[in-house]
Amino acid sequence: MSGHERRAHGHAEQGRIDAEGVFIRLGQGAEAFEAVQDVSFTVPAGEFVCVLGPSGCGKSTLLGALAGHIAPAHGALTLDGAAISGPHPDRGIVFQHHTLFPWKNVRDNIAFGPKMRGIPKAERHRQADEILELIGLGGFAGRYPKQLSGGMQQRVEIARVLVNHPRLLLMDEPFGALDALTRMMMQELLLDIWTRLRTTIVFITHDIDEALFLADRVLVMSPRPGRIVEDITVPFERPRRAEIVAEPPFGRLKRHCLDLLRPRPGTDTLPRLSPLGAPPHAR
Amino acid sequence: MPSPRSHLALVLASPLMLLLAWDGATRFSLVEQILLPAPATIGAALWDVLTRGYAGVSVFVHIGTSLWRVLTAFLLAAFVGVSLGLLRGLYPRIDAVCLVPFELIRPIPPLAFIPLFILWFGIGEVSKVLIIFYYAMLVVMLNTQAGVASCPEDKIRAARSLGASPWQVFWRVVFPASLPHVVVGLRVALAAALSILVASELLGGDRGLGFVISDASTFFKTADVFVGIVLIGLIGLIADRALTFTARRIVHWEGKT
């Protein structure tokens, strides 16, 4: 057992989320609107939760609030009882498109968090190499992000968050930009990592198959204003094989989700807005 | 696409053909030597200037004087331009303060300011360095600001969630992300600095390559005009190559696939 796993097991009781009557407003002045409306839920430590919803339903905004990048207008959002205020390495976030630093090689990208905490070079490189083994990229420490495939870039992105031993792993459609085969491989890899680390995961997706394959629980959100319309417990036992998506119980649950997501007549698709409010560079 | 070999042949043949046409035109007196000296005449003049100097002053003093002016102005412009560009990119208030004054000055060609600068600062070094400085600075500043804006918002958020403080986000993320734009700004500014240098030296003083060109033209020493032009061109080429070489080592990730 590696040092990383030992440490994660020692903290197995950490990572509980409580959301109580959360409202999030985005935009300013006349354009302001409620992106998330009266959302309440609880995630026990170590659970894998998917938030499923159509584009623009506020699911990314909710994730942004959990990360501490935006503050709710009303309501309480806590991790292990402590209010979430501002970003923290305890709550790592992975986006759809990688945010690796092109001027750093893979090892130094992963060692970014430890470096910010002032951990000496030899030690942070050791930690980075340990995580690289965990995600199966042991031989790529010296490569630069542009030399990697999309799937590998997302693996490094995940590793860069895991090196901080987060209590909560937030993922915003992390595999949305990958091709179908790579995505399936990444889903299995993520489940494998999660089985070993047992950190709480909140995973945003609009892909029903992905949500049902990965999650213990699926929170289904309605289009704007975003509310949770159903809290589904996924009954499939673990470890899950990729084949379960073709079996009847999976199909039944999928049809149920489809019904929930299908737009009601008369509700037009709303224009796409930046999930965190202000468009980039407008600050 | 032509094959690599024929591509190279064409690349080398075209300047040779130009040179031959030029030589032929002067040899058969299609143009007057006083307007366009023969290539060989310019070669001889270059050798003469290199060995015996121009206007009683070693050519290396002329080159040195020009280089000093351009480098002083360029380094000052790089420092001030990068600093201001970063501040404008990071702080909307500073950007708001700078916006109108700089946007008013920017479209004015720097040469239009030369008479004014001579009036204010005389024909000495100050006005020559300042006129190069202000224009090169504007170029560097705008590119740096664009570089800051080019850093994706998600990258900043990711860095914050990895535990970086606002200062660390600037120094470890936003600043390196802006460097490719900064380098482009420096290259454009360097080329502009050299062209403004020559113009500013045309207007006074008795040192520098711009002086060589304007003095030679006054006395119809057309071959020496070409010598000045060739030397300026060589300096520009070497400076740009040196800058690109250095930049490639700093911004090593650009263009990597």
Side-chain angles (χ1 to χ4, degrees):
Chain A
M1 187 191 278
S2 74
H4 191 83
E5 287 172 69
R6 264 198 310 277
R7 183 157 172 189
H9 280 275
H11 289 255
E13 290 312 306
Q14 292 200 321
R16 177 192 170 88
I17 306 169
D18 289 283
E20 187 67 47
V22 172
F23 289 74
I24 304 172
R25 292 180 70 77
L26 291 182
Q28 293 188 329
E31 288 169 25
F33 68 97
E34 224 140 49
V36 172
Q37 209 174 56
D38 196 14
V39 164
S40 301
F41 60 90
T42 294
V43 180
E47 196 171 58
F48 197 137
V49 172
C50 278
V51 180
L52 179 68
S55 303
C57 74
K59 55 194 191 300
S60 291
T61 308
L62 183 62
L63 199 76
L66 285 169
H69 295 304
I70 34 172
H74 301 286
L77 210 50
T78 61
L79 178 66
D80 297 321
I84 290 169
S85 62
H88 192 279
D90 269 351
R91 288 171 271 116
I93 187 161
V94 173
F95 295 98
Q96 181 175 10
H97 296 282
H98 83 84
T99 59
L100 300 172
F101 309 122
W103 52 89
K104 287 180 183 290
N105 65 24
V106 165
R107 180 185 282 126
D108 285 325
N109 261 290
I110 296 175
F112 182 82
K115 183 176 183 171
M116 295 304 104
R117 290 196 297 280
I119 290 171
K121 193 174 211 162
E123 170 60 15
R124 62 178 192 251
H125 279 178
R126 196 195 58 71
Q127 293 179 0
D129 289 346
E130 191 182 306
I131 301 283
L132 271 171
E133 290 298 332
L134 179 78
I135 57 155
L137 284 179
F140 293 86
R143 298 281 190 96
Y144 283 86
K146 278 193 180 177
Q147 298 169 314
L148 304 177
S149 69
M152 287 163 137
Q153 288 170 342
Q154 282 306 69
R155 273 199 265 177
V156 176
E157 185 92 2
I158 293 168
R160 193 176 62 166
V161 166
L162 289 181
V163 79
N164 291 328
H165 306 286
R167 284 188 258 168
L168 174 58
L169 178 54
L170 303 166
M171 309 187 88
D172 193 354
E173 302 190 30
F175 310 141
L178 304 175
D179 65 84
L181 279 176
T182 310
R183 181 191 299 199
M184 212 149 70
M185 204 191 69
M186 292 292 289
Q187 289 165 351
E188 286 176 309
L189 179 88
L190 179 64
L191 282 184
D192 181 48
I193 293 171
W194 175 70
T195 319
R196 286 194 264 169
L197 301 182
R198 286 293 168 180
T199 178
T200 311
I201 298 182
V202 177
F203 188 109
I204 303 288
T205 183
H206 58 243
D207 180 338
I208 299 173
D209 283 356
E210 185 169 63
L212 294 179
F213 177 64
L214 291 174
D216 294 320
R217 245 169 89 205
V218 177
L219 304 178
V220 184
M221 282 183 81
S222 66
R224 210 179 293 162
R227 306 176 203 232
I228 294 176
V229 290
E230 193 156 326
D231 184 341
I232 301 171
T233 302
V234 183
F236 313 124
E237 55 182 64
R238 300 187 189 270
R240 290 177 189 165
R241 297 157 297 109
E243 293 77 44
I244 63 164
V245 300
E247 288 164 11
F250 193 96
R252 279 194 291 276
L253 207 47
K254 180 176 178 176
R255 193 165 316 135
H256 179 62
C257 290
L258 264 175
D259 286 338
L260 288 170
L261 292 182
R262 193 162 288 142
R264 306 277 177 274
T267 53
D268 292 334
T269 318
L270 288 149
R272 185 100 177 96
L273 275 142
S274 166
L276 297 190
H281 317 311
R283 293 171 310 152
Chain B
M1 271 301 279
S3 71
R5 185 177 290 184
S6 72
H7 180 79
L8 184 69
L10 286 170
V11 165
L12 293 178
S14 84
L16 267 176
M17 292 303 289
L18 275 172
L19 205 62
L20 274 176
W22 178 1
D23 190 63
T26 50
R27 200 173 292 272
F28 299 110
S29 302
L30 297 175
V31 291
E32 288 186 65
Q33 284 266 352
I34 196 136
L35 297 179
L36 184 65
T41 316
I42 293 170
L46 178 64
W47 179 249
D48 190 58
V49 167
L50 284 176
T51 50
R52 298 202 301 195
Y54 184 87
V57 179
S58 160
V59 72
F60 298 104
V61 172
H62 288 300
I63 293 176
T65 309
S66 288
L67 276 182
W68 183 87
R69 286 168 183 154
V70 103
L71 278 181
T72 309
F74 177 74
L75 291 176
L76 272 176
F79 179 74
V80 177
V82 169
S83 308
L84 268 177
L86 290 174
L87 287 172
R88 288 186 65 176
L90 292 170
Y91 300 103
R93 282 165 199 278
I94 295 183
D95 184 49
V97 170
C98 292
L99 189 66
V100 172
F102 282 125
E103 285 305 298
L104 279 178
I105 299 175
R106 206 161 60 86
I108 303 171
L111 305 193
F113 277 124
I114 288 179
L116 206 57
F117 273 48
I118 288 174
L119 201 64
W120 290 344
F121 307 109
I123 57 163
E125 298 305 303
V126 177
S127 53
K128 290 185 177 68
V129 170
L130 272 185
I131 200 100
I132 301 170
F133 161 78
Y134 105 83
Y135 190 76
M137 191 278 283
L138 286 180
V139 173
V140 177
M141 179 184 71
L142 285 169
N143 278 278
T144 306
Q145 190 180 358
V148 173
S150 78
C151 185
E153 206 63 9
D154 275 352
K155 207 163 270 202
I156 295 170
R157 293 193 182 110
R160 295 282 287 139
S161 281
L162 290 169
S165 66
W167 166 253
Q168 284 172 323
V169 167
F170 163 70
W171 183 239
R172 300 287 178 190
V173 180
V174 177
F175 179 63
S178 75
L179 281 178
H181 282 79
V182 172
V183 164
V184 171
L186 290 177
R187 283 186 67 187
V188 176
L190 184 66
L194 282 165
S195 64
I196 302 166
L197 165 82
V198 176
S200 74
E201 285 181 341
L202 294 178
L203 290 158
D206 56 0
R207 294 281 191 283
L209 293 169
F211 160 75
V212 170
I213 293 171
S214 86
D215 187 75
S217 98
T218 311
F219 296 103
F220 282 103
K221 294 189 281 187
T222 317
D224 285 346
V225 172
F226 274 91
V227 169
I229 291 171
V230 166
L231 289 176
I232 290 268
L234 280 177
I235 289 174
L237 185 69
I238 294 168
D240 186 63
R241 290 293 92 193
L243 189 62
T244 312
F245 181 81
T246 319
R248 235 181 245 150
R249 259 140 201 80
I250 300 168
V251 196
H252 60 85
W253 63 91
E254 269 293 285
K256 200 167 270 178
T257 46

